[in-house]
Amino acid sequence: MLGRAGGLLAEHLADALSKPDPEVLIVGAGPAGLTAATYLARFRRRVLVADGGAPRACWIPLSHNLPGFPHGITGDAILRRMTEQAMEFDAVIEPGRVESLKRDGDGFRATLNGREVRARAVLLATGVTDHHPDLPGVERAIERALVRICPICDGYEAIDKAVAVIGRDDRGVREAAFLRTYSERVTLIHVGPAEALTEEDELHRIGIELIRAPIDNVRLEGDRVTALSWGGAFRVFDLVYSALGTSPNADLARGLGARMSDDLCLAVDWHQTTSVPGLYAAGDVVRGLNQIAVAGAEAAIAATAIHNALRQADGRTVD
Ligand SMILES: Cc1cc2nc3c(=O)[nH]c(=O)nc-3n(C[C@H](O)[C@H](O)[C@H](O)COP(=O)(O)OP(=O)(O)OC[C@H]3O[C@@H](n4cnc5c(N)ncnc54)[C@H](O)[C@@H]3O)c2cc1C
C-alpha cells in the first residue's frame, strides 16, 4: 500500500497529465535541471521536469563549498530547496524516466510514464553515473564521507589526514597529486593493470606512496577510520578517495546523433546547445567541472538561450 505518499504522487501526476504539453522538457531533477526549471518558469515558459530519481547530489553528506552556505548544507537540503523554488513558479516536476527522445518537426517527442510528451526544446540535465569501488558497504561509507568521490568538493576537509586514493589509471595519479595540497600523507592504491600507470615517477617526485594491489576488504571503524586490506595485510587511513571516474548519462542524446566530446561527455557551445538544434545540455553530463555551482551556471545559460530561441522563433525579438 502506498499510503499518503502514494496519494500525493497520484495527485501530482494527475496535475501533470491535465496540463497541455510543455514548451520545454527538462530531463533530470538534479541541481542543473531544477535551476533551469526555475529560470524557465520565471521566463513564463511551460516547463515539465522529468525526475528520474536519486540525483548524484543526494549523495552529498555535507557540502562546504556551495556559495551562500558557510556552515555547509546536505545534498538532500539543497535538492529540497531547489525543488521548492522551481515549484513556486509553477514548473511541473513529474517522477519518471524519459525512455525515448525523438525529433518531431522542429521540436521533440519523448516517452514518459507510458505517454508521449511533445516539447519545442529539450534540456538534458541527466548527470553522470559514478564508478564506485567494488567494496562491501561502499554506499554507507560514502554517506559517512569516509569514502569520497570529489577532492575539489571536500579536499579541504582532508587537511593533514592519512588519505588513500583508489585508482586504476593515471587519473588516480592526478587525484593523489591534487590531494597533496591538503596532506603529506597520501597513498595511491593502484588496482588497475600495471601498464595503465604511466606517471609513477611523478608520484615519487611529489612524495606519494604507491601500492599496487587489488583491495580485498574494507572496514569502517568508529566514525573516522577506514582500513583497507590486501594480501592479508591491513593499512589504516582516515579517508579514501575513489578516482575510478564516471560515465555520462547521455543515451538520449546519442540516440539523436548529438556530438560527444573526447571524454565522451556531451559537447555543447557557449549557449549550452548540443549539435542537435533545440537540444541543450547542462550539468555533469556536459564536459567540465562536476560541481553544483557549475551545473547551476550552465543551467542558467541554457535556460536563457532556450527562452531567447523560442522568442526568436515566435518573431518576438528586435533586430
Ligand atoms: C559524494 C558526492 C559529494 C559531492 N560533493 C559536492 C560538493 O560538496 N560540492 C559540489 O559542488 N558538488 C559536489 N558533488 C557533485 C555534485 O553532486 C554534482 O556536480 C551535481 O549533482 C550535478 O548536478 P546535475 O544536475 O548535473 O546531475 P545530478 O545531480 O546527477 O542529477 C541528474 C538527474 O538526472 C536524472 N536522469 C538521468 N537520466 C534520466 C532520464 N532518462 N529521465 C529522467 N531523469 C533522468 C537522474 O536520475 C538524476 O536525478 C558531489 C557528488 C558526490 C557523488
Side-chain angles (χ1 to χ4, degrees):
M1 208 170 75
L2 287 171
R4 183 171 151 65
L8 285 177
L9 183 66
E11 231 174 75
H12 190 84
L13 272 178
D15 188 42
L17 287 167
S18 71
K19 301 215 171 181
D21 273 333
E23 294 172 281
V24 186
L25 172 65
I26 297 175
V27 189
L34 293 169
T35 301
T38 295
Y39 272 68
L40 283 159
R42 288 176 54 82
F43 294 146
R44 308 183 73 192
R45 295 288 174 190
R46 283 193 317 281
V47 184
L48 174 63
V49 184
D51 176 5
R56 203 168 176 236
C58 75
W59 286 94
I60 304 174
L62 193 65
S63 173
H64 292 278
N65 72 348
L66 189 63
F69 297 96
H71 307 297
I73 181 166
T74 66
D76 281 344
I78 295 166
L79 291 164
R80 215 172 28 247
R81 284 169 185 241
M82 286 185 159
T83 302
E84 189 183 333
Q85 192 172 8
M87 290 174 78
E88 176 69 22
F89 301 103
D90 285 343
V92 176
I93 302 172
E94 179 175 335
R97 292 185 68 77
V98 169
E99 301 295 346
S100 74
L101 185 62
K102 302 227 158 57
R103 283 239 72 133
D104 184 45
D106 287 345
F108 298 88
R109 189 163 27 96
T111 320
L112 173 65
N113 292 320
R115 74 180 196 285
E116 280 207 334
V117 175
R118 290 188 158 72
R120 297 177 70 188
V122 172
L123 173 69
L124 293 176
T126 44
V128 294
T129 301
D130 285 289
H131 303 158
H132 292 316
D134 187 16
L135 297 171
V138 69
E139 296 191 349
R140 181 82 191 97
I142 293 171
E143 279 166 15
R144 293 168 63 188
L146 294 175
V147 170
R148 299 183 181 185
I149 311 290
C150 164
I152 291 175
C153 305
D154 46 30
Y156 189 88
E157 281 72 41
I159 289 178
D160 291 341
K161 307 243 180 191
V163 179
V165 176
I166 300 174
R168 63 172 159 234
D169 50 29
D170 286 334
R171 175 197 297 268
V173 177
R174 290 193 293 275
E175 210 150 292
F178 184 88
L179 280 156
R180 284 288 280 109
T181 301
Y182 301 105
S183 174
E184 289 182 1
R185 293 180 293 154
V186 179
T187 302
L188 174 63
I189 302 170
H190 178 70
V191 297
E195 62 277 12
L197 193 65
T198 66
E199 295 173 13
E200 190 173 343
D201 290 352
E202 181 64 7
L203 293 175
H204 296 313
R205 194 182 67 76
I206 58 179
I208 293 172
E209 183 191 7
L210 173 65
I211 295 172
R212 290 176 186 266
I215 299 160
D216 44 51
N217 202 355
V218 63
R219 279 205 316 247
L220 307 181
E221 294 169 0
D223 246 12
R224 290 203 188 87
V225 185
T226 303
L228 300 169
S229 84
W230 50 91
F234 265 88
R235 279 282 299 273
V236 177
F237 299 96
D238 296 316
L239 299 168
V240 175
Y241 276 89
S242 165
L244 300 181
T246 60
S247 296
N249 300 322
D251 286 353
L252 295 173
R254 273 195 213 96
L256 285 165
R259 195 165 61 77
M260 309 299 287
S261 57
D262 294 343
D263 51 3
L264 300 181
C265 287
L266 257 172
V268 291
D269 66 12
W270 290 105
H271 296 289
Q272 302 298 130
T273 317
T274 69
S275 60
V276 177
L279 183 68
Y280 298 75
D284 286 1
V285 73
V286 167
R287 180 166 174 258
L289 189 60
N290 290 356
Q291 291 285 285
I292 293 172
V294 176
E298 290 174 350
I301 292 168
T304 308
I306 291 170
H307 176 58
N308 284 338
L310 295 182
R311 285 196 315 126
Q312 195 170 21
D314 293 338
R316 297 223 185 108
T317 51
V318 179
D319 286 332

